[in-house]
C-alpha cells in the first residue's frame, strides 16, 4: 500500500468524521479555491493573501529562548469583535484558512468563541499544548473546524532550557494526549536548532505516528528578537539536511510533513515575498510577517482589512524588495534592506518593548533556506502536485 493511502487510512480510522468533513471542505477544497482567487487577483495587480496569520494575544506561560513576542509585557490582544470583523472581511474575498498564533492562543479568553463564530472556516492553532484540557479538547471536537499544532522542542531537559519553565514536556504531552483522545487532527511543530536537531529523525516521526499525530512541521530557528541566540542557528549544511530528511520521509512514512519555504522544484521561497501570507499582530498591526515587527497599517484603519492590505505601499514595497534580494528570508540575509524599508516608510515599531529597530540594526547577515545550486526537489507526487498548483513562487521571483 502506498504512503498516501496509508496516511488517508490513518486519517479516516482515527478521526471524527465530522472533523474530517470540516478539514476536507473548509481547509482542502475552499483553501484551494482561495489560492485560485488569489492567482486571479494577481493578474489584476491586486495583492490580498489567501492565508492570514493572526497573533491574537501576546501573553504566554513560557519564556522561550529567542522568542520575539513581548510575552512578559502587559496583555495585548485582538478583541473578539475585531477578530470577527477581520475574518468576515477576509471571507468575503474567498479566504477560509487562518493561522492563530500568540503568545499562547489558548490564553485568549475568546478563542473558542472565534472558532464557533466561523464554522465555514478552518483554523490552525499554534500552541504549547499546556492549556488543552480534556474539556477544551471536547469543545474543539464539537466545533470541528480547528487543528492544533503543538510545539515540542526536544527532551525534558532541552524543553525546560529552551522554553523557560519546569515540567514543560510533560505538560505539553498531556495536552497532546487530550487532543488525540478527542480524535482531533493534531500536528507537532519543532523550531529546529543546535539543541534539538536530533528530533529530525525517523524514529521520532514513528513515535509521533504511534501517538496519533497526523502531521509535523520542522522549521528552522531564526536569530531575531530582543535576546537572539546565534549559537542555536543551524549551519547551511544542517538546513539542507533537514530539507532532505523531509523530502525522503514524505515517501516513506504515513504522516503529513509541512514546510512553507520551498516550492515543488526545491527552490527556496518566502511566503511574505510571494504575497501568499501576511501577519496581524496582537495590537492589530498588519505586518509583512510575524518576525518583521514593523507596520504602517492596522486593522483599526478605516476601510476594512481587504482595502487596507491591498492599498498598503509598505507591504507592496516589502514584497517587491524582498523578492529582488533573495528567495530566502530577507531579515536574516539582508537586514539592511529591512532597515531601509522601515526608514523609508516611517513604519512604527509594533512591539511593546519599542526596541525592534535597535535589534534590527544590530543583526548580522546570515544564510537562510536560499542556497542556490543545492535545490532538493519534491519527490512524492502528492506534495509535488500540491506545491506546483497551490504553493509556489507566484511569479514573485521573475
Amino acid at each position: 500500500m502506498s504512503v498516501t493511502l496509508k496516511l488517508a487510512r490513518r486519517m479516516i480510522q482515527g478521526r471524527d468524521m465530522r472533523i474530517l468533513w470540516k478539514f476536507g471542505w473548509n481547509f482542502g477544497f475552499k483553501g484551494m479555491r482561495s489560492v485560485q482567487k488569489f492567482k486571479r487577483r494577481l493578474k489584476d495587480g491586486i495583492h490580498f493573501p489567501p492565508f492570514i496569520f493572526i497573533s491574537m494575544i501576546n501573553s504566554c506561560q513560557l519564556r522561550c529562548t529567542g522568542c520575539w513576542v513581548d510575552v512578559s509585557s502587559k496583555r495585548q490582544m485582538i478583541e473578539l469583535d475585531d477578530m470577527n470583523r477581520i475574518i468576515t472581511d477576509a471571507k468575503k474575498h474567498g479566504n477560509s484558512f487562518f493561522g492563530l498564533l500568540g503568545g499562547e492562543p489558548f490564553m485568549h479568553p475568546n478563542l473558542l468563541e472565534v472558532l464557533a463564530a466561523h464554522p465555514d472556516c478552518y483554523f490552525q492553532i499554534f500552541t504549547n499544548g499546556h492549556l488543552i484540557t480534556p474539556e477544551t479538547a471536547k469543545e474543539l471536537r464539537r466545533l470541528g473546524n480547528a487543528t492544533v499544532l503543538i510545539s515540542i522542542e526536544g527532551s525534558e531537559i532541552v524543553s525546560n532550557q529552551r522554553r523557560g519553565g519546569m515540567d514543560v514536556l510533560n505538560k505539553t504531552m498531556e495536552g497532546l494526549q487530550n487532543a488525540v483522545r478527542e480524535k482531533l487532527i493534531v500536528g507537532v511543530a519543532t523550531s529546529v536548532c543546535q539543541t534539538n536537531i536530533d528530533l529530525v529523525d525517523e524514529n521520532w516521526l514513528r513515535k509521533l505516528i504511534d501517538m496519533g499525530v497526523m502531521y509535523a512541521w520542522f522549521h528552522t530557528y531564526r536569530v531575531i528578537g530582543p535576546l537572539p541566540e546565534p549559537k542555536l542557528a543551524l549551519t547551511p549544511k544542517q538546513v539542507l539536511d533537514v530539507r532532505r530528511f523531509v523530502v525522503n520521509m514524505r515517501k516513506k512514512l504515513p504522516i503529513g510533513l509541512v514546510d512553507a519555504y520551498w516550492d515543488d522544484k526545491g527552490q527556496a521561497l518566502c511566503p511574505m515575498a510571494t504575497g501568499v501570507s501576511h501577519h496581524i499582530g496582537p495590537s492589530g498591526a498588519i505586518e509583512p510577517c510575524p518576525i518583521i515587527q514593523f507596520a504602517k497599517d492596522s486593522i483599526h484603519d478605516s476601510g476594512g482589512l481587504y482595502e487596507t492590505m491591498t492599498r498598503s505601499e509598505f507591504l507592496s514595497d516589502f514584497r517587491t524588495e524582498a523578492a529582488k534580494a533573495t528567495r530566502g528570508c530577507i531579515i536574516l540575509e539582508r537586514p539592511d534592506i529591512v532597515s531601509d524599508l522601515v526608514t523609508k516608510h516611517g513604519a512604527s515599531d509594533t512591539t511593546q518593548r519599542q526596541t525592534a529597530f535597535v535589534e534590527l540594526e544590530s543583526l548580522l547577515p546570515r544564510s537562510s533556506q536560499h542556497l542556490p545550486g543545492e535545490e532538493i526537489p519534491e519527490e512524492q507526487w502528492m506534495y509535488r502536485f500540491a506545491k506546483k498548483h497551490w504553493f509556489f513562487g507566484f511569479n514573485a521571483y521573475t
Side-chain angles (χ1 to χ4, degrees):
M1 184 182 295
S2 72
V3 170
T4 303
L5 289 177
K6 288 179 181 178
L7 178 57
R9 185 173 68 177
R10 284 191 66 219
M11 286 284 285
I12 293 170
Q13 289 180 343
R15 263 17 68 192
D16 182 307
M17 291 307 296
R18 185 166 160 278
I19 287 174
L20 277 182
W21 167 253
K22 291 270 188 176
F23 172 77
W25 182 254
N26 288 352
F27 174 71
F29 175 76
K30 292 171 71 174
M32 291 187 291
R33 189 178 63 181
S34 71
V35 174
Q36 295 302 118
K37 290 187 176 184
F38 169 69
K39 289 193 282 188
R40 288 197 292 271
R41 287 194 295 266
L42 288 182
K43 293 179 180 179
D44 296 325
I46 299 171
H47 285 79
F48 184 74
F51 309 129
I52 297 174
F53 290 84
I54 307 169
S55 290
M56 56 196 306
I57 191 168
N58 68 307
S59 303
C60 184
Q61 325 94 307
L62 302 180
R63 299 293 180 267
C64 298
T65 302
C67 181
W68 60 83
V69 182
D70 294 314
V71 294
S72 300
S73 300
K74 181 180 178 182
R75 173 171 288 190
Q76 191 175 54
M77 68 180 189
I78 303 177
E79 299 292 342
L80 176 61
D81 287 348
D82 289 326
M83 285 293 299
N84 287 334
R85 179 170 53 82
I86 60 180
I87 292 171
T88 298
D89 192 354
K91 286 195 296 186
K92 292 177 182 177
H93 301 280
N95 291 39
S96 63
F97 174 80
F98 301 87
L100 301 181
L101 305 84
E104 171 50 55
F106 281 100
M107 292 186 75
H108 195 293
N110 307 116
L111 170 61
L112 297 177
E113 291 176 70
V114 171
L115 306 186
H118 303 280
D120 53 343
C121 292
Y122 200 78
F123 299 88
Q124 184 178 44
I125 307 171
F126 294 68
T127 174
N128 57 47
H130 289 197
L131 299 178
I132 305 178
T133 63
E135 294 74 24
T136 298
K138 281 184 173 63
E139 181 62 7
L140 288 171
R141 180 176 181 174
R142 187 187 72 81
L143 294 168
N145 61 339
T147 173
V148 289
L149 180 60
I150 300 173
S151 297
I152 297 180
E153 300 300 333
S155 66
E156 184 175 353
I157 293 174
V158 171
S159 293
N160 289 344
Q161 291 172 341
R162 276 289 312 279
R163 315 209 71 180
M166 296 299 296
D167 203 28
V168 172
L169 182 59
N170 287 336
K171 292 175 182 176
T172 294
M173 296 305 295
E174 184 177 343
L176 187 153
Q177 290 162 5
N178 289 336
V180 170
R181 196 174 296 119
E182 290 299 328
K183 301 184 178 181
L184 303 181
I185 296 174
V186 178
V188 165
T190 301
S191 176
V192 184
C193 65
Q194 295 297 344
T195 60
N196 63 12
I197 196 166
D198 59 308
L199 288 186
V200 183
D201 176 78
E202 181 176 339
N203 289 331
W204 170 241
L205 288 181
R206 289 187 181 277
K207 288 180 182 177
L208 294 181
I209 292 170
D210 290 342
M211 286 188 282
V213 173
M214 295 307 304
Y215 67 100
W217 189 344
F218 297 101
H219 52 94
T220 56
Y221 172 75
R222 282 162 163 69
V223 184
I224 52 168
L227 295 171
E229 291 285 349
K231 65 183 180 183
L232 293 179
L234 299 184
T235 66
K237 180 183 180 304
Q238 287 173 320
V239 172
L240 285 174
D241 288 344
V242 173
R243 168 65 180 164
R244 187 173 294 106
F245 170 79
V246 168
V247 169
N248 288 338
M249 289 301 102
R250 282 172 168 160
K251 298 181 297 179
K252 189 172 184 178
L253 297 181
I255 183 171
L257 292 172
V258 179
D259 73 63
Y261 305 109
W262 287 275
D263 65 14
D264 62 300
K265 298 175 183 176
Q267 298 178 112
L269 60 78
C270 165
M272 176 273 293
T274 65
V276 76
S277 74
H278 287 309
H279 177 254
I280 299 172
S283 68
I286 301 172
E287 302 162 345
C289 75
I291 63 175
I292 298 177
Q293 295 180 292
F294 299 93
K296 281 289 291 183
D297 312 286
S298 168
I299 63 169
H300 304 296
D301 295 343
S302 61
L305 182 68
Y306 180 84
E307 183 175 338
T308 298
M309 293 184 80
T310 55
R311 293 185 178 181
S312 173
E313 294 181 2
F314 181 62
L315 293 178
S316 176
D317 223 1
F318 243 104
R319 289 189 297 266
T320 300
E321 296 304 315
K324 284 181 183 177
T326 176
R327 291 187 70 107
C329 177
I330 189 173
I331 198 167
L332 291 185
E333 295 187 27
R334 295 297 305 273
D336 59 312
I337 293 179
V338 177
S339 179
D340 289 345
L341 286 168
V342 168
T343 302
K344 172 185 174 182
H345 289 274
S348 299
D349 180 342
T350 59
T351 68
Q352 292 190 64
R353 61 186 181 273
Q354 290 297 294
T355 58
F357 193 78
V358 174
E359 295 161 16
L360 176 62
E361 291 283 275
S362 67
L363 288 179
L364 297 176
R366 60 180 63 246
S367 63
S368 69
Q369 77 274 23
H370 180 45
L371 300 166
E374 301 286 352
E375 291 80 9
I376 302 172
E378 292 295 337
E379 297 180 13
Q380 207 277 344
W381 72 268
M382 183 176 65
Y383 289 94
R384 187 170 62 246
F385 183 86
K387 285 193 170 190
K388 184 175 182 179
H389 292 278
W390 300 299
F391 200 86
F392 55 97
F394 297 106
N395 296 320
Y397 302 106
T398 57

